[in-house]
Amino acid sequence: MKKMDVIFRQVFFKNLKSKTWLWIVLGPLVLAAVFGGVFWLMNQTNQTSKIGVVTSSPALTSTLKASSDDDQRYISYSSTAAAKRAMADEDLDGVLTISTQPTTHASLIERTDGNGINQTQLQSVLAQAHTKEVAAQLKLSTTQLQSLFATPQLATTSVSVDKGKLVSRSAKTQKSGAMVGFILGMLIYTFVISYASMMAQEIGTEKGSRIEESILTAITPQAQFFGKLLGNLALMAVQMAIYGVVTLAGGLLLQRLPKNPLSSLMTNIDLSGISLNMLIFSLAFFFVGTLTYTVLAALTGSLVANQEQIGQATTPIVMLGMLGYFGALIVAGGTSPILNIASYIPFLSTMMMPVRLGAGQVTAVAGWSALGINLVFLILFTWLTVKFYQTNVLSYSDGGMLKAFKRSWQLQRAARKPKPVKS
């Protein structure tokens, strides 16, 4: 136990002071700060587009003015020349000229260095104005016009099946739950790539430089394996604690700002869809998922013969992580029989199942069942990896990782065969 503690401390404190781990921690924070700053800057610099309207129709003028909002404002001008002078003085971002004879026709002059004009919104407003103009010519009342263009209202209710019962879920709640699951999947993928690669890199470097032979003269391979595993888990825990403190401090800071840049996003999020059960489930899957990938990294790292093969050790980890990540992206938009099965498969379900649970595609029983499958797999996979680790860590093969794995498998089978009893 003391020897395993020595390995744990060596792995933990060595990486804690390294520039690689510092970038692993600061990289996502820097990206989040950059994207947050860009989003805040866009909100601060977003100004109302001003469009000068020139038309002989009072009805069109009043309709366009009534359609003004914070994004686009319509200002009436008596002539095109006057509107162009205002645009030359940079008082307008565009000039809209509307002719009603013989048919309604509109032309737009847009300033390239002005605020952007939403032409889709402009066309919609023109269509509404034209409809009112035609209705006035046909002497249709407002009630008749509303009846003519009225569309049947479609009320949609999302439901999920829970223990044979239909449980209603609002679309807002469903999206919020899916978003939380997707963020968790992205977080797992980030941690998997970072720490699994670190684990494989460390084992591969020690083995490739032949330091491993000296280390294992004083410690067993099992103690070294679990010491490195616990050291990586401790580093993950420190990183999560740092992110928790930064998130809390950032939330308090944003609340003090006069205009919270996240307020528009929070209006589209229904926090009631994020239950305590969902959070516990997500944390459990995060722990099991990252641990499973780290064990895989220890296995692949022990198969390398030199430092040049370390890239091969991380390839299976990256590929499996990408499959799970893209699976989570796809399943967020809908499910299929293949995705349903994949969400129960270890290495993939760690990212896919939280999204399905948050979106209401599966019940809590199905989610916990998938977690149980992953937990059982983790225990068996760890036991098997320790067996292979003992054989691989001092075995060198120039034929690549696949040949090294075959040799390790043969040695394991030979070790399990009963020895003949000497007479």
Side-chain angles (χ1 to χ4, degrees), residues 85-105:
R85 283 195 300 269
M87 189 168 64
D89 295 335
E90 299 185 357
D91 293 331
L92 293 177
D93 300 296
V95 174
L96 179 66
T97 305
I98 306 174
S99 173
T100 58
Q101 298 296 331
T103 58
T104 302
H105 173 75

Side-chain angles (χ1 to χ4, degrees), residues 387-399:
K387 294 290 185 181
F388 277 101
Y389 188 84
Q390 297 177 72
T391 307
N392 298 335
V393 76
L394 289 177
S395 177
Y396 297 90
S397 175
D398 295 331

Side-chain angles (χ1 to χ4, degrees), residues 331 335-345 348 352 356:
V331 82
T335 185
S336 68
I338 296 178
L339 294 175
N340 293 343
I341 296 172
S343 63
Y344 288 91
I345 298 176
L348 303 180
M352 296 176 63
R356 294 194 65 200

Side-chain angles (χ1 to χ4, degrees), residues 56-222:
S56 59
S57 172
L60 287 173
T61 303
S62 61
T63 301
L64 288 168
K65 284 186 176 181
S67 302
S68 298
D69 53 23
D70 293 335
D71 295 326
Q72 289 187 169
R73 187 156 65 95
Y74 300 94
I75 305 171
S76 176
Y77 280 83
S78 58
S79 65
T80 303
K84 287 183 176 180
R85 283 195 300 269
M87 189 168 64
D89 295 335
E90 299 185 357
D91 293 331
L92 293 177
D93 300 296
V95 174
L96 179 66
T97 305
I98 306 174
S99 173
T100 58
Q101 298 296 331
T103 58
T104 302
H105 173 75
S107 62
L108 175 67
I109 303 174
E110 187 176 3
R111 208 178 79 210
T112 57
D113 59 341
N115 297 317
I117 296 175
N118 189 341
Q119 295 191 19
T120 302
Q121 180 194 22
L122 178 59
Q123 290 176 349
S124 176
V125 173
L126 286 173
Q128 295 176 11
H130 178 66
T131 300
K132 290 184 178 180
E133 182 79 8
V134 173
Q137 294 175 2
L138 297 176
K139 298 181 180 180
L140 295 177
S141 65
T142 304
T143 304
Q144 291 173 327
L145 185 62
Q146 291 176 351
S147 300
L148 180 63
F149 289 97
T151 56
Q153 296 295 322
L154 177 63
T156 304
T157 303
S158 301
V159 298
S160 60
V161 180
D162 188 5
K163 297 178 181 180
K165 297 181 179 180
L166 298 179
V167 180
S168 62
R169 293 170 59 91
S170 67
K172 200 174 182 180
T173 302
Q174 187 177 2
K175 289 181 181 179
S176 300
M179 183 190 68
V180 171
F182 174 71
I183 291 174
L184 175 72
M186 185 171 60
L187 194 62
I188 292 176
Y189 178 73
T190 303
F191 272 66
V192 159
I193 298 302
S194 301
Y195 285 94
S197 299
M198 183 189 298
M199 184 79 159
Q201 178 84 21
E202 187 166 349
I203 295 174
T205 301
E206 289 179 357
K207 188 177 176 182
S209 59
R210 297 300 195 270
I211 300 176
E212 201 71 66
E213 298 174 1
S214 302
I215 296 174
L216 293 181
T217 58
I219 192 172
T220 63
Q222 297 95 322

